Amino acid sequence: LKLLRIQHTFNTKVGNEFIRGVSGGERKRVSIVEAMATRGSVYCWDNPTRGLDASTALQYTKALRDMTTIFGLSTIVTIYQAGNGIYDLFDKVLVLDEGKQIYYGPLKAAKPFMEDLAFVCADGANVADFLTGVTVPTERRIRPNCEAKFPRTAEAILAEYQASTIKKDMMAEYEYPTTQEAKSNTEEFVQAIKDEKHDSKLMGSLPVTVGFTNQVKVATIRQYQIIRGDLRVVIVKQVSNLVQALSAGSLFYNTSTDTSGLFLRSGALFLALLFNSLLAQSEVTDSFFGRPVLAKQKGFALYHPAAFVIAQVIADIPIFLLQVTVFSLILYFLVGLTVSASAFFIFWFILFTTIMTMTGLFRTIGAAFPTFDAASKLSGLAVIAVLLYNGYMIRKPDMHPWFVWIYWINPLSYAYNALLSNEFHDKLLSCVGPNLVPNGPGYGSSANQACTGVRGARLGATSLTGEEYLDSLKYSHSDLARNIGIVWCFWFLYLVVTIVFTSRWAETAPRSGQLLVPRKLTKKPVRSSPQDEEARGNDEKINISSSSSNIKNAPPPDTSLIQNT
């Protein structure tokens, strides 16, 4: 950062079309620093100094020079309007004109080669500008008395280069990869990379050199930095979590423990699942904000996508622990659910499991689709399906056989099953009010009363147990641990699928809107080759005199065709 003079942006967001961040020039410098940090073997830079001031451009090029020398890299750079300070840092130079390589060779031999062809480089001029201007009639300068014999076109300069000793020396270097020295250096390089790479089956065939554990560690730190950079979102979520817990707790405040509170207690448990599921839906949007950066860093071999996904999960755990704890403490005791340590912590653990699983579900949806429009449509449909077929709005025995499969693939259905089993286990539910008939003045004897309109109630009974109620819903407290385990299996499935889809992300570079046509497919217009200024000579005077005589004999123009432009 100090090298490119952007250390002041250390705690500033890069930004995008919607989020204000660093400036355009600073954003480019961030991309340059990111690419330099990869320590690649071959670097190709396309006009990287554009937008940089002269001093920063020189410092940046010196950094490239030092990296190339110290680490033995190969660096290829295209630079426009490079000063001599930048030009002198390179080893070789390549000059192209109309797709023809008119020179490729040592840096120090480029200027003498062009001067031997009668081109003049002024004292103190930029050598790079001199080389690119030899085929431009308005820029080049010719040695006196050589106007008739210097090469005027790129083809002529190329012919001179083909016949030079520089060309032969460069051709001789092409045989270097087949030499014993090159083979020995290649073997040492391969062994060095192999020694740097972490010995694991997962990383063995990938270009990354850092171990998977270290990748997860660094990616986790990076994820916390991202969270800290957007701390307002976290605060809004936690405040919303607190408000929802207070609202739901006051809505179902101190529900009764008899049959009149069956539906209310079930509603409170459903609302606990509902809020955490809707809160996790924001992951669909978040997955698209960081996708271009992750795809680029994946191409740079900085992180394996699996390390990034696991780091997200690790970074979520403390936040979810706080979120579930605050929500559970408020809702559980305001509603008046079972006052038992074991029942409370099972309730807390089921909510934590649910939010982890639903977050994984929406991250999977976000990773699976290339556009936010398609992902948002499926996420909306998924919310409707998992909430409608979890067993609260439509009881499992009442579900149509055609759609009951949604219940079996719905993680919320197993979580809701576990919550009800935890709450109504070992409970005795007395029938009261409209659920007890006959009821009213003069019907005080329970011997002549019975429960009605309550699932699981036996004939003639004035109360029912929690197990009878659960059995009427096809639930069982003995399946509590199994149901929690199934929800965690869904979480693991979503994690694996997210890793698979994230690994298939490709870097998408912004398009400029220009149509690029291969040179061999272009149709060049037929035109006469223009004469440059140095070859006109006396013919120009003859043409001028003849044209002036023609002007005198020419008829006057038709003024009706003259337009004022």
Side-chain angles (χ1 to χ4, degrees), residues 291-306:
R291 177 175 298 190
V293 176
L294 178 62
K296 180 172 64 173
Q297 293 181 351
K298 171 196 167 188
F300 286 163
L302 297 179
Y303 304 103
H304 188 276

Side-chain angles (χ1 to χ4, degrees), residues 343-355:
F344 171 76
F345 283 109
I346 291 175
F347 172 85
W348 176 90
F349 186 68
I350 293 173
L351 287 191
F352 177 76
T353 302
T354 302
I355 193 171

Side-chain angles (χ1 to χ4, degrees), residues 439-485:
N439 190 14
Y443 297 98
S445 175
S446 60
N448 300 320
Q449 293 177 318
C451 285
T452 181
V454 180
R455 286 181 176 271
R458 290 175 285 107
L459 293 176
T462 58
S463 63
L464 71 157
T465 62
E467 279 70 18
E468 292 174 339
Y469 178 70
L470 293 174
D471 186 64
S472 67
L473 299 175
K474 303 297 180 64
Y475 294 163
S476 174
H477 183 266
S478 60
D479 296 334
L480 176 64
R482 184 207 67 177
N483 291 329
I484 297 176

Side-chain angles (χ1 to χ4, degrees), residues 334-390:
L334 282 181
V335 175
L337 300 178
T338 303
V339 184
S340 168
S342 60
F344 171 76
F345 283 109
I346 291 175
F347 172 85
W348 176 90
F349 186 68
I350 293 173
L351 287 191
F352 177 76
T353 302
T354 302
I355 193 171
M356 290 286 291
T357 304
M358 296 306 295
T359 301
L361 170 63
F362 290 114
R363 280 181 181 163
T364 301
I365 295 175
F369 288 89
T371 62
F372 174 73
D373 182 60
S376 61
K377 291 177 180 178
L378 183 61
S379 64
L381 180 63
V383 168
I384 296 174
V386 297
L387 295 181
L388 191 61
Y389 282 88
N390 74 332

Side-chain angles (χ1 to χ4, degrees), residues 37 93 104 106 127 236 283 301 370 408 513 525 544:
V93 62
Y104 171 67
V127 180
V236 168
E283 294 297 328
W408 295 114
I544 293 175

Side-chain angles (χ1 to χ4, degrees), residues 312-331:
Q312 281 187 314
V313 174
I314 296 175
D316 287 340
I317 291 176
I319 299 175
F320 289 167
L321 288 176
L322 174 63
Q323 178 177 320
V324 172
T325 300
V326 172
F327 188 87
S328 299
L329 285 172
I330 297 175
L331 178 69

